[in-house]
Amino acid sequence: MSTTTTLPPAQGWLSRIGGRLGRQAAAPALPQAAIEERRNPPAVPPLAILAGALRTPHGASAGELNAALAANKVDADLDRTLVDDDGLPVMSVRCGQAIDEPVREEIADWLTAHAAPVPHLSDEQWRALVLGTAVLRELAGHAAATLLQHDGGAPALQLAPVLPDDWLPEQRQAASMWWQQVLVQSGWPAAQAAVVTPESPPAFIARFAHEAVTSTTPVATILLACASHIGQETVDRWAAAGTLFTSVHPRGRIPGEGAAGLLLAPVAGDAGRVNLSLDIEARDPSLANQKRLSHDQLNTLAERLLQGAAVAPADIAMIVADTGPDTRQVLELMEFASASAPHLDNASDIVRLGPACGACGAVPFVAALAVAAHAALEHGAPLLCVSNDNPALRALALVHPFPPSQDGS
């Protein structure tokens, strides 16, 4: 039975998060003010993670997935229903909960009654929609139970769904309509629930933190990522493009699926929950073609985050990453860990969610944040969460219980 990682709700607001999107590529000389900002970056205040939920092939909760990662039981399997151009089975990472016929029928019936015309959804899209619905129901239920007031008052709740890039506008609209219905089913007033279009999860988290501090209206956010690439159509497309993982293309993608979400809100002074500070920088995607990936950008992000939060590198208990099977990204992660947190054990203290989820868009990073929040409470110590799977950016999050212990542990 799945569970949700829940934490006491926050009551107050936070100040600006320090995510920056400057490129690493050569650029004209910076003005003196910009140089000073880089030397003395603004503090990175946190958001509160009130709850996390997920559905992955190796766990239906952060605790289950964390245990599977610790036991090293997250490998992909040969999938005899999906074959490559030579007719050989490919590796995949399937999620058993992607098949839930009663939920699929419920969604189909509702869309038939409320969406005109009803867009065609592929089997992969249905799998993603079912997984995303399960995660959203957990988080929406938690939001209703903890944030709705006894007198019927409610803060605004926004849902930010992150779907694969190949979904058409009408398919995205249908999913958004259904998920707004899920919020209402969970007890949230329709007038206080909205669906927004996010960027990548790291960029959205940074923007939400900024908007929270400048907004006069209380708001909480559910960030939801879901995707499924378990289908022959995707395998054929990836094989034709040379991006499918095979023995000939060891840097290719392994089809995967899953859903993960976070309930985020501004920070207050209550103990017992997890805080999240995040910093991001854009990256030239052409660098992904290099034979070796530098870890310098991750080191810079870590230095800024740790200094801004007054956390010593030696206090970091774990590193959780969305890193996939590409050995260059794995090496980048390990070199970063060696430089920034050399006390960590590579075998037990650094975990990668890429193998546990397969290639499924933004899901591994959001799932990594949910696992990090769970592990931060277990360890009673701060963790780092790394995103280096996206060639266009590098992101780093500091996830820690709040308030931190007095001895800094």
Side-chain angles (χ1 to χ4, degrees):
M1 184 175 181
S2 64
T3 58
T4 304
T5 303
T6 58
L7 308 156
Q11 303 293 328
W13 299 106
L14 73 164
S15 51
R16 177 175 300 181
I17 197 165
R20 281 187 294 277
L21 294 170
R23 287 189 176 274
Q24 261 197 330
L30 291 171
Q32 186 63 31
I35 294 174
E36 290 302 319
E37 182 183 359
R38 287 191 174 185
R39 288 176 181 167
N40 303 288
V44 183
L47 287 169
I49 302 178
L50 304 187
L54 51 81
R55 296 292 186 276
T56 69
H58 296 284
S61 71
E64 288 181 9
L65 181 54
N66 195 34
L69 290 165
N72 198 26
K73 295 181 178 180
V74 295
D75 292 334
D77 295 317
L78 277 178
D79 193 322
R80 302 196 179 278
T81 66
L82 302 175
V83 296
D84 62 17
D85 290 342
D86 297 321
L88 300 174
V90 304
M91 302 294 288
S92 78
V93 191
R94 283 180 176 264
C95 184
Q97 292 182 309
I99 300 176
D100 190 327
E101 288 302 328
V103 172
R104 180 166 171 168
E105 290 177 6
E106 178 189 4
I107 299 171
D109 290 344
W110 190 89
L111 289 177
T112 299
H114 296 88
V118 179
H120 169 75
L121 296 174
S122 69
D123 185 62
E124 294 174 51
Q125 291 171 322
W126 275 113
R127 295 172 72 93
L129 197 54
V130 166
L131 291 169
T133 297
V135 167
L136 180 58
R137 279 182 163 151
E138 282 196 36
L139 294 177
H142 179 76
T146 58
L147 299 180
L148 289 180
Q149 300 169 12
H150 295 298
D151 61 3
L157 177 67
Q158 64 179 8
L159 169 64
V162 183
L163 293 165
D165 293 339
D166 59 358
W167 282 50
L168 299 174
E170 57 268 28
Q171 295 166 337
R172 294 173 183 275
Q173 176 65 19
S176 294
M177 291 172 60
W178 162 248
W179 280 330
Q180 185 151 14
Q181 171 66 13
V182 172
L183 296 180
V184 174
Q185 288 177 346
S186 300
W188 210 267
Q192 294 296 99
V195 180
V196 300
T197 302
E199 313 92 325
S200 67
F204 175 78
I205 291 171
R207 182 166 66 84
F208 172 58
H210 169 67
E211 291 176 351
V213 73
T214 59
S215 174
T216 58
T217 304
V219 64
T221 288
I222 294 176
L223 174 63
L224 173 67
C226 62
S228 175
H229 295 307
I230 302 298
Q232 190 60 48
E233 181 179 343
T234 292
V235 170
D236 292 342
R237 187 169 64 251
W238 289 2
T243 59
L244 179 69
F245 176 87
T246 65
S247 59
V248 180
H249 298 287
R251 293 178 180 172
R253 293 181 287 177
I254 296 175
E257 62 186 353
L262 299 170
L263 175 59
L264 301 170
V267 162
D270 303 283
R273 69 168 181 279
V274 173
N275 283 359
L276 161 68
S277 299
L278 180 140
D279 206 349
I280 58 177
E281 280 189 351
R283 187 180 181 94
D284 186 346
S286 67
L287 295 177
N289 297 322
Q290 295 180 333
K291 292 183 179 180
R292 190 180 184 92
L293 302 177
S294 171
H295 60 283
D296 291 344
Q297 196 169 15
L298 291 175
N299 290 347
T300 299
L301 293 174
E303 182 179 356
R304 290 205 298 249
L305 275 176
L306 296 178
Q307 286 182 354
V311 172
D315 294 334
I316 299 301
M318 282 181 65
I319 294 177
V320 186
D322 66 358
T323 311
D326 191 323
T327 54
R328 299 169 304 163
Q329 295 173 347
V330 175
L331 184 59
E332 177 191 9
L333 174 67
M334 294 304 174
E335 289 179 341
F336 159 71
S338 178
S340 297
H343 61 286
L344 296 181
D345 183 274
N346 287 351
S348 60
D349 298 331
I350 304 171
V351 296
R352 298 185 294 119
L353 266 69
C357 300
C360 51
V363 174
F365 179 63
V366 180
L369 287 173
V371 168
H374 173 85
L377 288 179
E378 280 196 334
H379 288 276
L383 279 69
L384 289 176
C385 188
V386 175
S387 178
N388 71 335
D389 190 57
N390 186 337
L393 63 84
R394 289 296 181 265
L396 195 69
L398 175 66
V399 181
H400 61 87
F402 185 83
S405 60
Q406 295 301 313
D407 61 4
S409 61

